[in-house]
Each structure stands twice: as C-alpha cells, then as structure tokens.
C-alpha cells in the first residue's frame, strides 16, 4: 500500500489506465527501495531515542529516515503532486519545476510568534520575545500531542556548511511536511553524509516541526539555545519551517558563536574578481528582501568589462577568525530560498536562468500554459493568482510579494567553487545596508572597527513582505539581525566589539543604501548590476587606493572616486546620493542613541562612546557636507 493507492483513491477523475500503470511502476520501485522506516545502522543512540519518543508523542503513522537521495526527492515530489500540494509547471519551458500554494495566512515569517526561551529573560534581551523554557515546553507539548496522526514523520539529518568543514554544524529536523523535506534537500546538505557526520560529532541541534492545522492562532516558533533545540508548530512557510535556516543557522548558531568566539550573521558572501584576476570577498548584511540574493549574483555592467562575480552565499554567513589573522566566512546553506518578484533578465539574468529548471516556486501566479508568473517578470500574462483564483487585479498582485523560489545553489551560473571550501573565504570588507528612501548616502565607510559596530548597530530599514505585518515602515534592524539574533543585542554588540581582539587583520566596514528615492517615489540609483561600481570603491578603499571625503558619519566617495559614467544619473542626483545632511543626521544620532540606551546595563560602554563621538562630530559640522564637490582627504 504505497502513496499511489492514495492517488487512486483521490484521483477518481483521472483515467483508470494511467493510474494502474502508475501504481505498477511505483510498486516495482518500492520493492527495490531500501527500508527507510528503520533507523540507519549508524544513527547515534540519542537520535534514535529522540525519534522514537517523538513518534510516540505525535502518534505519527510512519517514520521515514531521509537519505537525501535523488530518488527520495522524486518520491516526495510525486507524493505532493498526488496530494495536490504541488502543481507541475510547464515541462517544456520549466523542466523539473513545481508550484506550491501555501495556506493564505501562512506566507511569511511571524516575528510576533517567534520566541527565544532562555532561563533568564535578560539573556534573550528586549530584541526577542521571551518565554520561560518550562512554559514554552508545556505549550508545545500540548500542540505536538497526537498532531501527526495519519501523517508520515520525516527524519531529516542535515549539515550546515561544507560537510568536511571544521566550521560546519549539524542538526536533525523532524517534520510531518513533505514540502519541508523536499525544500531541506535543496537548502542543506541533507541525508546520509550529514548523518555520518552527526555520528562523528556526537552533537546535533534538535528541530521538531509540525504544520499542525496551519492555524495562525496555534502557531509558535520556539528556540531553546541552552539545550540546542527548536520547536516549530503551525506553519509551513520557509523561515518558520525550514529549521536549518533562520532557526538553527542564525538564532541557535549566534548563541553558540558568542560562546565560541565567532559570528553567525544574516549576510551574503560574494567574490568580486577584478580584470587583473584578483578576487576579494565581501560579506554584506541587508535586512530581509533588501537585496542580498541580487547582490550575491550580480551581473557586472557593460561599463565594467573583465569583472566577474562569484556567489558563495546569499543569506547567511558564519565568520571565523582564521589562522592568518583574517576573518573567514562559510555559507552554511546549500541552496537559495529567494524572493521571486522583481526577478527578470535585466535585473538578475543569473537568477532568472537559475530558476528555469528544477525549482520549487511558492505562491507565484500561473499563466494559462502553466508557466509561473510574477510581478516584474515583464513577459506573459497571469491567468491565476497565488491563491489559485482566476487573476483579477482587484485582488492584488498575481504573485504574493513574498513569493519565493527554492533552488540548489549549484544551479547558479555564478556559483563559486570556494563555496565548498572547508575553510571558507577570507573577507576583505563587511557591508551593512538598509532600505531607506532618505538620509543614508549611497555608500560610506566606518572610521574603524568600533565605529563599524555602531554602523551596524544603528542600522534601520523599511519593513518588507518577508515578515507578517506592515510594509514600508522604518524600524531599527541592527546588523539585519533584529529577527534573528538568538540573544540580547547588548551582549551581541559586546561580542562584535570583542572580535577586534580575535581578528588581527580586521575587514573594512561600510554602509550602503541602494534604495534612495526622489519626490515622485522613483529610485535615485539604478541598483542591481550597477552596484558593482560601489563594491569597486569599497575594495579599493580597503587597499588605500580610493579617494574619500571625511564626513561626521564616516568617509564617502569623492565625486570622481566613483564612476557614474553612462548611467544617465544627473549631477544633482549624484550630489544627493553622496551628500550627508548633518541636520537630519543629528536627529538620527539622537534616535540611535535612544535606541541603544534601551538595552540598559547590557549596552557596551564602547558603543555608547561611539554615539557620543558621532554626535560631537556632527555638532560642529556644516549643515550639508557634499562629498561630490571632489575634495580629497
Ligand atoms: P531575504 O531572502 O528575504 O533575506 O532577502 P534578500 O536580501 O536576499 O533580498 P533580494 O535580493 O531577494 O531582494 C528583494 C527585493 O529587492 C527584490 O524585489 C529585488 O528585485 C529588490 N532589489 C534587489 N536589489 C536591488 C537594487 O539594487 N535596487 C532596487 N531598487 N531593488 C533591488
Ligand atoms: C528572510 O526573511 O530573511 C528570508 C526568508 O531569507 S526566510 O527563510 O523565510 O526567513
Ligand atoms: Mn534572509
């Protein structure tokens, strides 16, 4: 009795002969398939024990140990097609691609339902929702009790980071969602190799997940960093359900990183190769849906021949002090869970090509020919919206603004061979960035490391559709980690400051803003591929080769240090992009100061001093500092 029988049962409207052919084929396959209901021989005792305990508690119908194989992935896909959880997209134009429509109230991360459950509330900090561990466990136990009746429970061993990297960390996710299992295979190094490493390490993060009834009123994402546990209930959406990603690789890992002297950050990692063949790696922290995937796979503009971009990661970086005194980064992930809207041949050709095969689309629209469709695609027409309703502009966009693609990183044409390097890549510069229509210039540099920590800590950005709630509201999002730091931001900044003692050759620190707007709402800066011009300045600056004007917030490029040629951006706009409005920045510095003070006694004195120095520099300065005039330092 396989899943094909389920199809027979459900698919009364399908042609009988087709179904019988299907069943025969499927059962022949099942007969040769290994038994994956039993624990693999090398599964450690602690893991077997936990799996049995969870299976008993949730009353799962059956247990499937995932081995991460291609045939297993195909089986998961077939199962979801049979259940109606996946629709096959046009095989000619989108081979191996599928559409998943999630429950309409389950389309984004839910920060208000995400908790860090530490013994002391202070350790979670004002930046997190907190619940006492015992109370959280009681709540979750009640939800998980019997929740997998009639369902298959998948056991997913995964490794975050190259399997042979000393920096990689493993986890096991137990879930009752085939969608989660399939996505985990694309997003992580999942299966047999990970299990072997777990047996060797003897330690793993325990992630327990159930979609429950997908009821927003019975939904929680709980983290227990002190015991390396995650419990997530009631959502099937990416960041809430693919527990290797934000829950493990950021919230739990940031806690471990603090204890062990490294950093787990919401950063892309990109290699920038200049025409001389030198590659510099940058790690950049932008909040959710603020351009990490796009920068990580940037297409160099025609004006920069000979430049190449190499993607190491698009969302998360684990940064370690290396033996050579530099900071080294690995990408713990193996795939991308990226924003679909806005992706087209012009904005991001590589992403556009990458998602034309073997991709799972979540919550995009559909054309009459079963092609996926989204706003900003600039071709074709939607026939159905993301909820499967006939497309009607009165219902809003065809694709949900937070619709996503899941794809293996190997499909990225600019995939860096270094993405699998066990030691990672050495980082030349760290770049912070927000989505701000005013104030923050196109790019500016921190004066030194501790000023750089202030640049990150003082970050603010407009909220996006990646999280449930209002969109377009400016909020503080330090280091793009507001939703992801697994502990008190005060302690986190102290840890960042202390990295100066661990890393002898510190990277340069910068802040960028691709999102300045004019009075009519248009972007002042063309963005996307043209952002490479700014990365070029950043890299040169780290080598002492680019001119800058010192302003109270840090050096900005001189007018001529950045090449604006051929952009069609006029001089007044260039001036606006590079200007520092001291009056507005005085207000900003006050707000940053007040925000940081809300961390009370945990706020490091060195960061408070940085705010004082920033205010002092702003006090005596001209109201408007215009770097574009071309002064050199
Ligand atoms: P998460 O996966 O949520 O962490 O997001 P991300 O930071 O990887 O964001 P992503 O690169 O997917 O970009 C989100 C949105 O910003 C997309 O709609 C992009 O088209 C848009 N975007 C990216 N880069 C630029 C840029 O340089 N300029 C402008 N105007 N928009 C951009
Ligand atoms: C983000 O929201 O920052 C994401 C998508 O990268 S999710 O994995 O859903 O968190
Ligand atoms: Mn992200």
């Amino acid at each position: 009795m396989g899943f094909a029988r389920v199809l027979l049962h459900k698919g009364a409207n399908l042609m009988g002969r087709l179904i019988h052919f299907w069943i025969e084929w499927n059962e022949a396959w099942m007969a040769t398939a290994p038994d994956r209901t039993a624990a693999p021989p090398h599964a450690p005792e602690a893991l077997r024990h936990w799996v049995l305990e969870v299976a008993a508690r949730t009353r799962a119908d059956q247990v499937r140990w995932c081995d991460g194989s291609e045939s297993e992935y195909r089986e998961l896909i077939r199962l979801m097609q049979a259940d109606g959880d996946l629709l096959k997209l046009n095989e000619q134009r989108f081979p191996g691609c599928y559409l998943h429509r999630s429950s309409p109230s389950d389309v984004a991360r839910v920060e208000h339902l995400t908790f860090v459950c530490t013994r002391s509330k202070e350790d979670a900090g004002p930046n997190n929702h907190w619940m006492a561990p015992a109370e959280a466990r009681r709540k979750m136990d009640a939800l998980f009790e019997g929740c997998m009746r009639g369902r298959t429970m998948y056991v997913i061993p995964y490794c975050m980071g190259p399997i042979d990297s000393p920096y990689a960390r493993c986890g096991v996710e137990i879930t009752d969602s085939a969608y989660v299992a399939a996505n985990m295979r694309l997003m992580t190094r999942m299966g047999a190799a990970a299990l072997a490493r777990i047996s060797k390490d003897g330690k793993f993060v325990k992630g327990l997940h159930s979609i429950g009834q997908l009821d927003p009123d019975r939904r929680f994402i709980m983290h227990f960093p002190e015991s390396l546990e995650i419990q997530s209930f009631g959502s099937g959406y990416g960041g809430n359900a693919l527990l290797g990603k934000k829950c493990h690789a950021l919230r739990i890992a940031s806690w471990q990183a603090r204890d062990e002297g490294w950093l787990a950050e919401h950063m892309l990692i990109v290699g920038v190769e200049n025409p001389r063949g030198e590659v510099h790696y940058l790690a950049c922290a932008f909040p959710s849906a603020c351009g990490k995937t796009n920068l990580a796979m940037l297409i160099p503009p025609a004006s920069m021949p000979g430049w190449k971009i190499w993607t190491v990661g698009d969302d998360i970086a684990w940064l370690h002090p290396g033996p050579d005194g530099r900071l080294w980064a690995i990408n713990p992930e193996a795939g991308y869970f990226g924003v679909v809207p806005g992706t087209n041949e012009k904005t991001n050709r590589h992403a556009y090509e990458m998602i034309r095969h073997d991709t799972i689309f979540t919550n995009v629209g559909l054309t009459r020919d079963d092609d996926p469709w989204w706003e900003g695609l600039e071709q074709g027409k939607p026939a159905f919206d993301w909820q499967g309703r006939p497309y009607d502009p009165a219902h809003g966009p065809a694709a949900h603004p937070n619709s996503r693609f899941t794809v293996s990183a190997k499909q990225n044409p600019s995939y860096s061979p270094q993405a699998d390097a066990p030691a990672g890549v050495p980082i030349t510069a760290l770049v912070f960035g927000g989505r701000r229509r005013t104030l923050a210039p196109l790019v500016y540099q921190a004066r030194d490391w501790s000023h750089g920590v202030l640049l990150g800590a003082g970050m603010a950005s407009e909220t996006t559709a990646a999280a449930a709630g209002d969109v377009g509201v400016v909020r503080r999002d330090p280091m793009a980690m507001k939703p992801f730091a697994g502990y008190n931001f005060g302690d986190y900044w102290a840890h960042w400051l202390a990295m100066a003692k661990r890393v002898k050759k510190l990277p340069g620190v910068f802040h960028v803003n691709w999102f300045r707007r004019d009075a009519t709402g248009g972007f002042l800066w063309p963005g996307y591929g043209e952002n490479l011009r700014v990365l070029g300045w950043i890299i040169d600056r780290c080598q002492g080769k680019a001119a800058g004007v010192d302003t109270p917030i840090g050096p900005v490029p001189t007018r001529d240090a950045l090449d604006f040629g051929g952009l069609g951006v006029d001089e007044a706009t260039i001036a606006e992009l590079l200007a520092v409005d001291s009056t507005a920045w005085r207000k900003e510095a006050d707000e940053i100061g007040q925000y940081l003070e809300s961390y009370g006694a945990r706020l490091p004195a060195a960061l408070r001093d940085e705010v004082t120095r920033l205010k002092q520099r702003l006090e005596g300065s001209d109201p408007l500092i215009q770097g574009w005039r071309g002064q050199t330092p």
Side-chain angles (χ1 to χ4, degrees):
M1 171 77 187
F3 52 81
R5 301 252 176 237
V6 178
L7 176 67
L8 181 58
H9 175 72
K10 289 201 168 187
N13 57 347
L14 288 181
M15 284 198 312
R17 273 176 58 193
L18 235 167
I19 296 171
H20 281 285
F21 168 76
W22 211 77
I23 289 174
E24 270 168 36
W25 179 79
N26 171 52
E27 284 182 350
W29 183 84
M30 293 285 279
T32 58
D35 176 15
R36 281 179 303 215
T37 59
H42 50 295
E45 194 47 44
L47 173 56
R48 284 163 196 262
H49 182 83
W50 178 53
V51 168
L52 287 176
E53 181 260 316
V54 171
R57 204 143 60 82
T58 59
R59 317 268 168 87
D61 245 28
Q62 58 166 330
V63 177
R64 297 284 291 211
W65 287 77
C66 293
D67 62 9
S69 62
E70 171 78 32
S71 60
E72 175 182 84
Y73 179 74
R74 271 191 259 118
E75 188 195 342
L76 290 165
I77 296 287
R78 278 196 300 269
L79 193 65
M80 285 187 279
Q81 278 187 274
D83 283 351
D85 276 351
L86 281 190
L87 293 176
K88 178 140 187 58
L89 293 170
N90 188 301
E91 180 63 23
Q92 271 75 50
R93 279 188 302 277
F94 288 85
C97 292
Y98 299 87
L99 167 62
H100 172 74
R101 292 187 182 123
S102 67
S103 163
S105 59
D106 185 31
V107 293
R109 282 183 295 100
V110 280
E111 295 177 6
H112 59 297
L113 303 173
T114 300
F115 289 78
V116 169
C117 309
T118 43
R119 281 190 296 268
S120 136
K121 183 174 181 181
E122 271 293 289
D123 288 345
N127 46 307
N128 280 301
H129 298 294
W130 175 84
M131 204 182 285
E135 186 192 345
R137 281 181 203 285
R138 251 195 322 277
K139 243 188 213 330
M140 298 310 275
D141 283 354
L143 292 171
F144 277 105
E145 173 68 43
C147 74
M148 296 190 192
R149 259 195 212 98
R151 296 181 187 173
T152 297
M153 178 179 122
Y154 299 95
V155 180
I156 305 169
Y158 63 85
C159 180
M160 302 310 289
I163 212 101
D164 51 353
S165 169
Y167 303 137
R169 296 298 165 90
C170 292
V172 177
E173 175 165 359
I174 293 181
T175 177
D176 55 9
S177 160
Y179 170 81
V180 166
N183 276 271
M184 284 295 281
R185 178 166 187 273
L186 297 173
M187 292 302 297
T188 70
R189 290 147 176 106
M190 180 258 249
L195 186 60
R197 176 149 177 171
I198 289 170
S199 312
K200 210 171 70 199
D201 292 354
K203 198 165 136 186
F204 61 95
V205 170
K206 285 181 183 171
L208 176 54
H209 169 254
S210 169
I211 54 172
Q213 296 72 40
L214 297 173
D215 176 357
D217 294 329
R218 285 161 52 84
R219 181 176 294 164
F220 285 108
I221 327 294
M222 302 282 195
H223 303 76
F224 305 88
E226 287 151 333
S227 55
L228 304 184
E229 284 172 278
I230 304 156
Q231 295 191 19
S232 165
F233 191 92
S235 168
Y237 170 77
N240 304 330
L242 310 177
L243 302 185
K245 199 174 175 55
K246 301 299 161 89
C247 301
H248 178 163
L250 287 177
R251 297 195 192 96
I252 300 281
S254 62
W255 178 283
Q256 293 180 298
R258 184 255 326 253
D259 289 350
E260 298 168 10
W262 50 283
L263 297 167
E265 299 299 326
H266 192 203
M267 291 178 172
L268 68 94
I269 309 163
V270 67
V272 181
E273 181 176 333
N274 67 22
R276 294 187 299 282
E278 297 156 0
V279 186
H280 285 274
Y281 294 93
L282 311 184
C284 314
F286 309 157
S288 301
C290 290
K292 288 184 301 302
T293 304
N294 278 276
L295 194 70
M297 14 189 342
L298 175 153
I299 308 283
S303 64
M304 296 180 77
W307 289 75
K308 286 196 195 107
I309 286 292
W310 300 103
T311 314
V312 179
D314 85 322
D315 197 46
I316 300 178
W318 285 356
L319 303 152
H320 286 80
D324 65 348
R326 289 188 288 178
L327 192 61
W328 290 69
I330 64 161
N331 171 17
E333 302 191 276
Y336 311 133
F337 183 64
V339 175
V340 180
T343 307
N344 65 46
E345 260 180 301
K346 273 182 269 147
T347 54
N348 191 338
R349 195 180 71 245
H350 281 163
Y352 179 77
E353 285 166 11
M354 173 176 77
I355 61 178
R356 287 193 75 92
H357 67 98
D358 300 295
T359 299
I360 298 177
F361 290 88
T362 300
N363 294 336
V364 295
L366 196 61
T367 71
R368 209 156 284 297
D369 303 322
D370 292 335
D371 286 354
W373 194 92
W374 55 86
E375 277 66 24
L377 176 62
E378 295 187 339
Q379 55 187 287
K381 271 202 312 239
F384 300 96
D385 70 9
W386 62 277
Q387 299 187 57
R389 303 174 298 192
Y391 174 62
D392 177 352
H395 288 156
H400 189 277
N402 190 38
S403 52
R404 298 258 166 180
F405 55 76
T406 323
V407 68
S408 161
K410 296 263 163 66
Q411 287 186 198
N412 176 1
S414 56
Y415 182 73
S416 165
Q418 295 306 312
D420 292 304
V425 294
I427 297 298
T428 299
L430 297 177
V431 184
F432 296 115
R435 187 184 276 270
R436 295 201 77 172
R437 41 181 71 227
T438 58
L439 193 72
L442 180 63
V443 56
Y444 61 104
Q445 183 183 11
R447 303 158 70 91
D448 55 26
W449 182 256
S450 61
H451 182 226
V453 176
L454 177 63
L455 247 60
M459 262 171 75
S461 193
E462 292 156 27
T463 52
T464 65
D470 293 338
V471 169
V473 184
V474 176
R475 71 160 179 184
R476 294 282 150 208
D477 192 349
M479 278 84 170
M481 284 287 278
K482 167 71 187 70
F484 308 121
Y487 63 103
N488 191 316
F489 261 150
D491 301 340
Y492 171 85
W493 297 319
H495 179 51
W496 262 82
L497 290 164
M499 289 303 282
K501 290 192 218 92
R502 297 196 175 92
V503 181
K504 281 201 190 63
K505 296 176 200 152
L506 285 161
V509 182
F510 296 80
H511 188 287
V512 298
N513 180 15
W514 315 139
F515 299 96
R516 284 288 290 270
R517 308 260 196 154
D518 61 22
T520 64
F523 289 106
L524 292 182
W525 173 247
Y528 299 101
E530 306 298 350
N531 293 336
L532 184 56
R533 300 176 191 238
V534 175
L535 302 189
W537 182 79
I538 287 175
I539 292 166
D540 282 350
R541 193 75 192 157
C542 289
Q543 299 177 302
K545 288 196 294 203
V549 185
D550 201 14
T551 82
I553 64 168
V556 299
T558 58
R559 164 65 184 81
D560 299 326
L562 258 183
D563 174 18
F564 288 95
L567 286 179
V569 178
D570 61 33
E571 284 301 318
T573 305
I574 294 173
E576 206 175 333
L577 283 166
L578 296 181
V580 174
D581 179 344
S582 302
T583 313
W585 269 99
R586 270 178 221 139
K587 187 164 165 279
E588 180 76 359
D590 281 341
E591 284 173 23
I592 291 173
Q594 278 161 25
Y595 172 72
L596 297 183
E597 287 305 332
S598 72
Y599 288 84
R602 301 248 181 161
L603 176 68
L607 205 52
R608 185 176 286 135
D609 294 346
E610 280 299 333
V611 178
T612 307
R613 279 196 286 274
L614 171 64
K615 286 183 180 170
Q616 282 166 352
R617 290 195 301 270
L618 284 163
E619 267 328 302
S621 61
D622 293 343
L624 197 64
I625 298 134
Q626 294 179 316
W628 62 283
R629 281 194 186 132
Q631 303 100 313
T632 42

